Amino acid sequence: MTEYLIAFNEEWVPDHTEEELREKSKAVRALVAEMQEAGVFVFTNGLDDAAPVFSVDASSGTPLFTDGPFVESKEHLGGFAVVDVADEAQARLWAGKIAVACGWPQEVRRFRVRKNRQENA
Protein backbone atom coordinates (compact mmCIF):
# COMPACT_ATOMS: atom_id res chain seq x y z
CA MET A 1 0.00 0.00 0.00
CA THR A 2 1.09 3.57 -0.64
CA GLU A 3 0.22 6.68 1.34
CA TYR A 4 -1.10 9.78 -0.42
CA LEU A 5 -1.68 13.27 0.92
CA ILE A 6 -4.95 14.82 -0.26
CA ALA A 7 -4.97 18.50 0.67
CA PHE A 8 -6.47 21.86 -0.15
CA ASN A 9 -5.33 25.46 0.05
CA GLU A 10 -7.52 27.71 2.14
CA GLU A 11 -7.98 30.10 -0.79
CA TRP A 12 -9.77 27.34 -2.75
CA VAL A 13 -12.60 27.28 -0.21
CA PRO A 14 -15.53 29.43 -1.33
CA ASP A 15 -17.63 31.37 1.15
CA HIS A 16 -20.35 29.27 2.80
CA THR A 17 -23.19 29.91 5.16
CA GLU A 18 -23.07 28.18 8.53
CA GLU A 19 -25.82 25.81 7.36
CA GLU A 20 -23.83 24.90 4.24
CA LEU A 21 -20.76 24.21 6.38
CA ARG A 22 -22.81 22.00 8.72
CA GLU A 23 -24.02 19.98 5.71
CA LYS A 24 -20.47 19.65 4.36
CA SER A 25 -19.30 18.54 7.80
CA LYS A 26 -21.93 15.77 7.82
CA ALA A 27 -20.82 14.65 4.35
CA VAL A 28 -17.16 14.61 5.38
CA ARG A 29 -17.89 12.62 8.58
CA ALA A 30 -19.79 10.05 6.50
CA LEU A 31 -16.90 9.87 4.05
CA VAL A 32 -14.34 9.38 6.84
CA ALA A 33 -16.47 6.49 8.13
CA GLU A 34 -16.51 5.02 4.61
CA MET A 35 -12.72 5.41 4.36
CA GLN A 36 -12.27 3.72 7.75
CA GLU A 37 -14.52 0.84 6.70
CA ALA A 38 -12.52 0.47 3.46
CA GLY A 39 -9.27 0.37 5.46
CA VAL A 40 -7.66 3.32 3.63
CA PHE A 41 -8.03 6.03 6.28
CA VAL A 42 -4.86 7.17 8.04
CA PHE A 43 -5.55 10.71 9.28
CA THR A 44 -7.42 13.90 8.44
CA ASN A 45 -7.71 17.34 9.93
CA GLY A 46 -8.05 21.02 9.18
CA LEU A 47 -5.48 23.56 10.26
CA ASP A 48 -6.22 26.20 12.89
CA ASP A 49 -5.89 29.51 11.07
CA ALA A 50 -6.08 31.38 14.40
CA ALA A 51 -2.98 29.64 15.80
CA PRO A 52 0.48 31.18 15.46
CA VAL A 53 2.50 30.16 12.40
CA PHE A 54 6.27 29.97 12.59
CA SER A 55 9.20 28.57 10.67
CA VAL A 56 12.47 27.08 11.77
CA ASP A 57 15.76 27.10 9.85
CA ALA A 58 18.69 25.06 11.16
CA SER A 59 21.00 25.57 8.17
CA SER A 60 23.45 27.46 10.43
CA GLY A 61 23.54 24.48 12.81
CA THR A 62 21.33 26.19 15.40
CA PRO A 63 17.56 26.33 15.02
CA LEU A 64 16.37 29.86 14.23
CA PHE A 65 12.64 30.41 14.71
CA THR A 66 10.78 33.17 12.88
CA ASP A 67 7.13 34.16 12.74
CA GLY A 68 5.13 33.34 9.65
CA PRO A 69 5.47 30.89 6.78
CA PHE A 70 8.87 29.95 5.43
CA VAL A 71 8.07 31.44 2.01
CA GLU A 72 5.71 34.26 1.26
CA SER A 73 2.67 32.97 -0.50
CA LYS A 74 -0.99 33.80 -0.62
CA GLU A 75 -1.66 30.08 -0.62
CA HIS A 76 -1.61 28.22 2.67
CA LEU A 77 -2.69 24.75 3.59
CA GLY A 78 -6.23 24.63 4.91
CA GLY A 79 -6.65 20.94 5.66
CA PHE A 80 -5.66 17.48 4.56
CA ALA A 81 -6.27 13.75 4.63
CA VAL A 82 -3.77 10.91 4.43
CA VAL A 83 -4.92 7.69 2.81
CA ASP A 84 -3.11 4.37 2.42
CA VAL A 85 -4.21 2.84 -0.88
CA ALA A 86 -3.04 0.29 -3.42
CA ASP A 87 -2.31 2.68 -6.28
CA GLU A 88 -2.84 6.07 -7.89
CA ALA A 89 -6.25 5.06 -9.21
CA GLN A 90 -7.45 4.48 -5.65
CA ALA A 91 -5.91 7.79 -4.51
CA ARG A 92 -7.85 9.51 -7.30
CA LEU A 93 -11.05 7.75 -6.27
CA TRP A 94 -10.80 8.93 -2.64
CA ALA A 95 -9.61 12.42 -3.61
CA GLY A 96 -12.67 12.73 -5.85
CA LYS A 97 -14.93 11.68 -3.01
CA ILE A 98 -13.29 14.21 -0.70
CA ALA A 99 -13.66 16.98 -3.30
CA VAL A 100 -17.37 16.16 -3.67
CA ALA A 101 -17.96 16.00 0.10
CA CYS A 102 -16.11 19.30 0.72
CA GLY A 103 -17.21 21.08 -2.41
CA TRP A 104 -13.78 22.50 -3.26
CA PRO A 105 -10.64 21.31 -5.13
CA GLN A 106 -8.11 18.92 -3.66
CA GLU A 107 -4.47 18.30 -4.49
CA VAL A 108 -3.04 14.77 -4.38
CA ARG A 109 0.58 13.90 -3.65
CA ARG A 110 2.18 10.53 -3.04
CA PHE A 111 4.49 10.13 -0.06
CA ARG A 112 7.90 8.65 -0.71
CA VAL A 113 7.74 4.89 -0.54
CA ARG A 114 9.64 3.41 2.40
CA LYS A 115 10.95 -0.12 2.34
CA ASN A 116 10.22 -0.58 6.01
CA ARG A 117 7.58 1.54 7.71
CA GLN A 118 9.56 1.35 10.97
CA GLU A 119 12.51 3.20 9.39
CA ASN A 120 10.86 6.61 9.82
CA ALA A 121 8.47 5.86 12.68
Side-chain angles (χ1 to χ4, degrees):
M1 301 286 272
T2 303
E3 291 177 341
Y4 286 82
L5 173 70
I6 303 169
F8 65 91
N9 286 331
E10 189 66 36
E11 71 174 16
W12 300 346
V13 181
D15 291 334
H16 290 89
T17 65
E18 289 204 25
E19 180 58 32
E20 289 171 326
L21 288 174
R22 274 193 290 277
E23 290 302 312
K24 297 219 179 275
S25 181
K26 287 180 193 174
V28 169
R29 282 193 305 272
L31 179 56
V32 167
E34 180 183 351
M35 293 165 72
Q36 289 171 325
E37 187 174 312
V40 302
F41 179 82
V42 175
F43 181 79
T44 189
N45 210 336
L47 300 177
D48 183 352
D49 60 356
V53 177
F54 58 88
S55 300
V56 61
D57 179 357
S59 59
S60 68
T62 302
L64 173 64
F65 292 88
T66 57
D67 291 338
F70 183 69
V71 293
E72 286 197 32
S73 172
K74 64 180 183 176
E75 295 182 356
H76 63 280
L77 190 61
F80 61 92
V82 178
V83 295
D84 192 7
V85 294
D87 54 31
E88 183 181 318
Q90 287 293 299
R92 287 174 177 265
L93 170 87
W94 291 105
K97 289 182 179 212
I98 291 170
V100 168
C102 290
W104 50 78
Q106 302 292 313
E107 180 178 291
V108 181
R109 293 178 177 245
R110 186 178 71 198
F111 283 96
R112 289 188 179 116
V113 178
R114 297 177 288 182
K115 292 179 185 177
N116 178 351
R117 289 189 181 268
Q118 299 302 317
E119 289 175 8
N120 294 325

